[in-house]
């Protein structure tokens, strides 16, 4: 605050003069009265003095007011100065904040014109500051769609800056001077008390990229980058909805499965397998139109959606064309590999309301195509639908059958060809269906395998077989040693619990593990080569033996066989049925199989021996064991009970002789 201003010295002097004047006036007035002179001069002088005094007092008062005014003025100036400093500081503060919002920030007018832009905005815009402020609308930087939407929503024009007006957040695309694109998160807030707004533009390009990547991964197969099942189902559902809206819109679905793909994986490795899948996907994709969708459902399964097709035949035409394309080999890992595929086609999609059902039927059609001998295509039709329903019914029946055990084992004798004596049996399952009578395994084993029901079924078969053999062996004593062959599905065999399952049955029935032989078909063994080798090697720990069934149909390689500790090899019936005494091709093949097996220390069983001629030839070829109609077809348990009794009876009468099996059976 300022100091008090002193009263001007002239005013003091004025007062002294007036005081002195007054004293002189009084002195002379008294003198005049004493001397009796005229006093009118003095009265005039007195009035003058009084006026001077009043004037002087007035001046003094004015001077004091002036001084107070000056002081007040000075105070005011001080205050203004302080406010100005405060304002400047405040503006500096807001400018600093504006400049350092961490985002490109602009202050905009109601029409979008930028009145102020921070350096970050200037940097991302690609313009100079002078070309932006008061010259450009920030809306010119964002994508047209958002631009239109904002104008429609009247976000700027005509809005009132009331207290209720809230900040708006939205994502948009930002284009700089060179038309480079960025993803931006905008926050638009009104500035209270003005009709301006502040707009923050945060660069979220990286975030959006990551978001898109995550989205892409969720809906695409990582190996081939094709749409995955989830995305395909979405697209297929859209096609269904479209076909409902538009009578002229038709679509079809193809389900593809590469034939014998597992063989490629097992023999050439997963790396080559992966490369083959990529090459396969590319070739199929290149053969389709842009509007069609190819998706990978996992493994070697692919699905195609053909859109806007003119006729139902179109899809079959595509299947044929694609199969033609696949006849050319693929070059992967420096090797030529073939990848033929089986196709299931659903071309009449009118009646479908759900994508899942189309896929189910396309899959079923593909399955039938495979059954028909691979590299085929099958169109799903009414017949197939009926068949599918039938299979469903069979599965339901099968579940019930397991529950109440409607199964029984039949046993086919296995014979030593040299002595024509019994060495054991093969257990073959039969299903006593309450309505359909005895059903053979050919009609239900594959469904059981597909549904996993083969596992409880195998347990029932193996347990009954072990029980029965244990009982027969106890009756026979040491005189005859029999073994029991059981058929095992590879799916069950490869389960980690398999060996424990078998062990539990052996423990329960008390059968010597040496007497149990596990038959696995050659085809199944080939399909899961690596896993099989690992497991087969563990069999020895359990004293179990492995028999390779239906040999000759699975195209095993010699080196593969050498790696497996297999005890017995069964030559498939199809080879045995064609051996005759003439030195034709088939005889040579069977001879080669037998000598190969012998070299690998395996015992050979000939399956389906039906004639004496075949028997004689097999003997000539040194085939040790046989099984077939010539000796006996599979018999029920009661028949085997009788056979055992006959053998025992024979031994009691002829302890030193070998029993003639044929005689025993005919009884
Ligand atoms: P497989 O293991 O090769 O069994 C031999 C099949 O050939 C049996 O058919 C048998 O009845 C038949 N057979 C034997 N000798 C002759 C002959 O001289 N001539 C002719 N024409 N046929 C003969 P089945 O019992 O119908 O069994 C068929 C297949 O079902 C079996 O072939 C086996 O792979 C499978 N199977 C049978 N039982 C089971 C089982 O319990 N579990 C599994 N997983 N599969 C089984
Ligand atoms: Mg068998
Ligand atoms: Mg067989």
């Amino acid at each position: 605050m300022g100091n008090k201003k002193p009263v001007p010295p002239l005013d003091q002097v004025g007062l002294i003069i007036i005081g002195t004047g007054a004293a002189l006036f009084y002195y002379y007035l008294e003198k005049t009265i004493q001397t009796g002179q005229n006093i009118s001069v003095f009265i005039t002088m007195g009035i003058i003095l009084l006026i001077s005094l009043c004037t002087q007092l007035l001046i003094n008062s004015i001077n004091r007011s002036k001084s107070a005014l000056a002081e007040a003025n000075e105070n005011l100036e001080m205050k203004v100065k302080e406010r100005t400093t405060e304002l400047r500081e405040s503006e500096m503060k807001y400018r600093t904040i504006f400049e350092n919002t961490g985002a490109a920030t602009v202050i905009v007018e109601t029409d979008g014109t930028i009145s102020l832009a921070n350096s970050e905005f200037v940097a991302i815009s690609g313009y100079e500051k002078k070309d932006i402020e008061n010259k450009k609308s920030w809306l010119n930087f964002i994508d047209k769609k958002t631009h239109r939407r904002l104008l429609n929503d009247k976000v700027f024009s005509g809005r009132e800056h009331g207290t209720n007006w809230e900040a708006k957040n939205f994502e948009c695309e930002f284009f700089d001077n060179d038309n480079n694109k960025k993803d931006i998160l905008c926050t638009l807030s009104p500035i209270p008390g003005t009709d301006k707004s502040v707009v923050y533009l945060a660069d979220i390009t990286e975030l959006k990229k990551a978001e898109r990547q995550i989205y892409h991964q969720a809906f695409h197969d990582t190996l081939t980058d094709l749409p995955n099942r989830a995305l395909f189902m979405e697209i297929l559902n859209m096609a269904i909805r479209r076909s409902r809206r538009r009578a002229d819109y038709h679509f079809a679905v193809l389900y593809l499965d590469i034939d014998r793909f597992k063989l490629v994986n097992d023999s050439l490795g997963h790396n080559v397998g992966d490369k083959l899948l990529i090459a396969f996907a590319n070739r199929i994709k290149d053969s389709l139109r842009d509007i069609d969708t190819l998706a990978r459902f996992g493994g070697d399964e692919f699905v195609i959606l053909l859109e806007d097709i003119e006729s139902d035949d179109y899809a079959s035409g595509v299947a044929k064309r694609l199969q033609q394309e696949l006849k050319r080999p693929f070059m992967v890992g420096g090797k030529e590999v073939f990848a033929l595929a089986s196709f299931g086609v659903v071309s009449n999609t009118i009646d479908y309301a759900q994508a899942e059902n189309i896929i189910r039927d396309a899959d079923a059609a593909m399955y039938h195509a495979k059954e028909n001998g691979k590299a085929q295509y099958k169109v799903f039709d009414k017949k197939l639908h009926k068949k599918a329903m039938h299979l469903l019914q069979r599965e339901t029946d099968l579940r019930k059958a397991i529950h109440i055990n409607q199964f029984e084992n039949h046993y086919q004798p296995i014979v030593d060809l040299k002595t024509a004596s019994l060495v054991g049996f093969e257990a073959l399952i039969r299903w006593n269906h309450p309505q359909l009578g005895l059903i053979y395994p050919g009609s239900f084993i594959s469904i059981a395998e597909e549904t996993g029901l083969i596992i409880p079924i195998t347990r029932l078969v193996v347990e009954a077989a072990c029980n029965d053999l244990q009982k027969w062996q106890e009756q026979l004593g040491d005189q005859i040693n029999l073994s029991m062959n059981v058929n095992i599905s590879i799916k069950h065999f490869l389960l980690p619990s398999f060996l424990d399952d078998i062990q539990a049955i052996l423990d329960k029935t008390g059968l010597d593990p040496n007497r149990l032989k596990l038959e696995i078909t050659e085809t199944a063994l080939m399909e899961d080569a690596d896993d099989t080798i690992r497991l087969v090697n563990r069999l020895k720990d359990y004293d179990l033996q492995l028999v390779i069934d239906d040999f000759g149909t699975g195209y095993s390689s010699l080196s593969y066989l050498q790696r497996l500790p297999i005890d017995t090899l069964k030559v498939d019936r199809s080879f045995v049925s064609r051996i005759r005494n003439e030195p034709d091709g088939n005889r040579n093949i069977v001879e080669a199989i037998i000598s190969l097996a012998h070299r690998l220390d395996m015992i050979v069983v000939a399956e389906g021996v039906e004639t004496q001629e075949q028997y004689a030839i097999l003997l000539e070829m040194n085939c040790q064991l046989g099984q077939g109609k010539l000796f006996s077809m599979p018999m029920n348990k009661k028949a085997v009970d009788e056979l055992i009794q006959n053998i025992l009876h024979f031994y009691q009468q002829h302890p030193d002789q070998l029993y003639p099996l044929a005689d025993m059976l005919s009884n």
Side-chain angles (χ1 to χ4, degrees):
M1 285 280 151
N3 297 323
K4 273 194 174 179
K5 258 196 164 176
V7 179
L10 251 180
D11 297 345
Q12 315 260 9
V13 173
L15 281 176
I16 293 166
I17 292 169
I18 290 167
T20 317
L24 281 173
F25 171 73
Y26 181 73
Y27 174 74
Y28 283 111
L29 181 63
E30 224 176 37
K31 254 192 173 175
T32 308
I33 292 169
Q34 282 169 4
T35 57
Q37 286 178 359
N38 193 354
I39 61 165
S40 57
V41 180
F42 284 100
I43 291 169
T44 311
M45 270 179 69
I47 290 167
I48 292 170
L49 254 174
L50 205 66
I51 289 170
S52 301
L53 179 71
C54 290
T55 309
Q56 192 58 52
L57 285 172
L58 199 70
I59 287 170
N60 266 3
S61 148
I62 288 170
N63 276 344
R64 260 196 306 276
S65 299
K66 252 168 103 183
S67 152
L69 208 66
E71 193 179 330
N73 201 22
E74 198 179 322
N75 278 345
L76 204 67
E77 265 175 24
M78 290 274 283
K79 282 224 169 90
V80 167
K81 230 186 217 162
E82 275 167 23
R83 287 294 296 151
T84 312
T85 317
E86 265 174 33
L87 270 174
R88 198 167 292 137
E89 274 172 11
S90 164
E91 203 205 318
M92 278 291 283
K93 199 162 83 189
Y94 288 116
R95 239 182 210 285
T96 312
I97 294 172
F98 182 71
E99 273 303 326
N100 298 291
T101 49
T105 310
V106 283
I107 308 272
V108 298
E109 308 290 333
T110 41
D111 63 352
T113 305
I114 299 169
S115 50
L116 214 59
N118 73 356
S119 44
E120 220 159 312
F121 184 89
V122 173
I124 67 161
S125 71
Y127 288 93
E128 286 191 28
K129 198 179 188 110
K130 65 176 171 50
D131 297 328
I132 300 172
E133 287 180 347
N134 300 316
K135 292 210 175 107
K136 289 225 167 318
S137 165
W138 77 282
L139 292 169
N140 293 337
F141 289 96
I142 65 171
D143 62 280
K144 294 274 171 296
K145 214 169 130 195
T146 315
H147 186 154
R148 265 197 307 278
R149 191 164 51 79
L150 290 173
L151 290 181
N152 283 345
D153 291 355
K154 295 196 170 55
V155 168
F156 312 100
S157 52
R159 69 171 165 75
E160 303 262 307
H161 271 178
T163 42
N164 291 336
W165 204 84
E166 285 174 4
K168 263 194 185 342
N169 280 309
F170 53 89
E171 286 175 12
C172 62
E173 284 168 354
F174 181 95
F175 295 91
D176 69 9
N177 194 12
D178 294 328
N179 218 26
N180 296 318
K181 195 177 86 178
K182 277 189 167 58
D183 290 301
I184 296 283
L185 173 70
C186 282
T187 307
L188 187 99
S189 331
I191 302 175
T194 71
D195 55 1
K196 292 179 200 295
S197 302
V198 59
V199 187
Y200 302 94
L201 303 105
D203 185 352
I204 51 166
T205 310
E206 285 306 309
L207 200 81
K208 283 301 244 188
K209 209 167 115 191
E211 200 178 285
R212 276 192 279 269
Q213 221 167 343
I214 291 166
Y215 178 86
H216 188 86
Q217 274 168 15
F219 290 104
H220 288 83
D221 165 50
T222 36
L223 181 70
T224 59
D225 207 37
L226 290 176
N228 63 10
R229 179 188 278 267
L231 181 55
F232 187 85
M233 295 313 256
E234 196 68 23
I235 298 170
L236 187 52
N237 273 317
M238 260 154 45
I240 294 175
R241 286 199 290 274
R242 197 171 309 141
S243 72
R244 300 220 150 156
R245 282 198 310 272
R246 277 176 43 197
D248 62 331
Y249 172 81
H250 302 289
F251 66 92
V253 170
L254 277 71
Y255 203 111
L256 286 73
D257 187 292
I258 303 178
D259 298 329
R260 295 179 179 278
F261 179 71
K262 207 164 176 349
L263 208 64
V264 175
N265 252 351
D266 288 346
S267 51
L268 302 175
H270 287 268
N271 205 9
V272 173
D274 283 355
K275 282 190 183 134
L276 180 62
L277 285 172
I278 295 168
F280 179 90
N282 287 340
R283 191 178 293 176
I284 297 284
K285 204 167 164 45
D286 289 347
S287 314
L288 297 172
R289 300 166 304 166
D290 286 346
I291 56 164
D292 301 327
T293 307
L294 171 68
R296 181 172 174 227
F297 269 28
D300 57 351
E301 293 183 5
F302 294 83
V303 184
I304 300 169
L305 170 66
L306 302 173
E307 296 208 55
D308 250 330
I309 58 173
E310 294 105 40
S311 67
D312 287 356
D313 296 340
Y314 182 82
S316 310
V318 172
K320 253 187 248 168
R321 188 162 48 76
L322 292 179
Q323 277 178 334
Q324 203 58 35
E325 284 289 326
L326 294 175
K327 282 191 178 148
R328 280 187 291 123
F330 290 91
M331 275 305 287
V332 276
K335 283 195 172 64
E336 266 197 355
V337 187
F338 283 91
L340 300 171
S342 302
F343 287 58
V345 181
V346 174
S347 54
N348 186 0
T349 47
I350 285 177
D351 296 332
Y352 289 93
Q354 282 182 330
E356 284 79 14
N357 293 349
I358 299 180
I359 296 299
R360 178 200 64 202
D361 292 346
D363 187 15
M366 184 278 292
Y367 186 77
H368 280 273
K370 252 196 206 304
E371 273 192 333
N372 285 351
K374 319 231 182 235
Q376 308 269 323
Y377 76 89
K378 175 96 190 121
V379 180
F380 189 83
D381 54 18
K382 284 213 168 73
K383 240 167 71 193
L384 252 179
H385 180 70
K386 246 173 103 180
K387 207 165 169 184
M389 294 310 286
H390 168 78
L391 286 180
L392 203 70
Q393 184 59 44
R394 184 127 290 186
E395 186 190 332
T396 316
D397 288 357
L398 211 50
R399 285 184 195 277
K400 270 192 235 157
I402 295 167
H403 193 60
I404 50 176
N405 195 1
Q406 287 175 340
F407 302 104
E408 67 176 273
N409 282 355
H410 282 202
Y411 298 101
Q412 184 171 37
I414 298 173
V415 174
D416 181 329
L417 292 182
K418 265 200 190 121
T419 60
S421 60
L422 185 70
V423 294
F425 298 98
E426 175 174 4
L428 294 156
I429 191 171
R430 306 291 181 253
W431 176 8
N432 267 315
H433 195 284
Q435 283 90 41
L436 303 171
L438 207 64
I439 303 181
Y440 284 77
S443 314
F444 64 89
I445 288 293
S446 58
I447 308 171
E449 282 182 340
E450 255 175 66
T451 52
L453 294 173
I454 192 69
I455 293 154
I457 289 176
T458 307
R459 286 195 194 117
L460 291 173
V461 172
V462 177
E463 186 169 339
C466 291
N467 246 330
D468 290 343
L469 182 66
Q470 179 65 8
K471 195 186 79 193
W472 296 324
Q473 195 60 63
E474 277 167 12
Q475 291 170 3
L476 291 169
D478 298 339
Q479 283 164 309
I480 301 173
N481 278 310
L482 298 180
S483 57
M484 180 62 78
N485 286 23
V486 287
N487 293 286
I488 302 293
S489 141
I490 191 79
K491 271 198 184 158
H492 192 185
F493 184 71
L494 292 176
L495 284 185
S497 61
F498 173 73
L499 285 172
D500 293 335
D501 271 358
I502 298 293
Q503 187 62 56
I505 294 170
L506 289 170
D507 291 346
K508 191 171 168 190
T509 57
L511 188 78
D512 180 352
N514 270 317
R515 295 190 189 280
L516 190 65
K517 297 189 177 186
L518 309 174
E519 289 193 8
I520 294 183
T521 63
E522 185 199 12
T523 327
L525 277 179
M526 286 306 293
E527 272 178 20
D528 286 280
D530 284 345
D531 292 340
T532 307
I533 290 175
R534 238 183 314 112
L535 251 154
V536 168
N537 285 318
R538 283 189 55 210
L539 284 176
K540 291 282 162 226
D541 302 338
Y542 288 76
D543 267 342
L544 291 163
Q545 295 174 51
L546 193 75
V547 175
I548 183 161
D549 201 359
D550 301 346
F551 189 83
T553 56
Y555 315 104
S556 293
S557 69
L558 185 63
S559 60
Y560 178 60
L561 273 187
Q562 268 174 329
R563 288 158 69 197
L564 290 173
I566 296 171
D567 303 275
T568 310
L569 182 152
K570 291 177 94 169
V571 182
D572 191 66
R573 198 171 70 218
S574 57
F575 290 94
V576 176
S577 67
R578 282 177 290 164
I579 47 170
R580 276 194 209 91
N581 229 346
E582 302 99 53
D584 67 352
N586 274 313
R587 184 189 163 125
N588 291 345
I589 291 172
V590 176
E591 225 166 0
I593 293 173
I594 294 172
S595 66
L596 158 75
H598 286 166
R599 247 182 290 146
L600 296 172
D601 271 341
M602 289 182 194
I603 295 166
V604 182
V605 185
E607 292 188 292
V609 184
E610 295 188 343
T611 65
Q612 282 294 345
E613 188 189 13
Q614 288 164 357
Y615 183 16
I617 295 168
L618 288 164
L619 264 177
E620 241 176 70
M621 292 175 178
N622 286 324
C623 178
Q624 294 107 316
L625 305 175
Q627 183 182 346
K629 203 151 98 190
L630 182 67
F631 311 107
S632 165
M633 280 308 275
M635 334 188 261
N636 62 22
K637 188 178 157 193
K638 197 165 154 268
V640 182
D641 278 338
E642 278 168 25
L643 168 69
I644 300 295
Q645 289 312 314
N646 289 344
I647 293 172
L648 275 172
H649 189 68
F650 181 88
Y651 266 117
Q652 277 158 13
Q653 291 178 345
H654 316 280
D656 305 325
Q657 283 183 33
L658 204 63
Y659 60 89
L661 183 67
D663 293 349
M664 306 289 103
L665 286 164
S666 59
N667 273 343

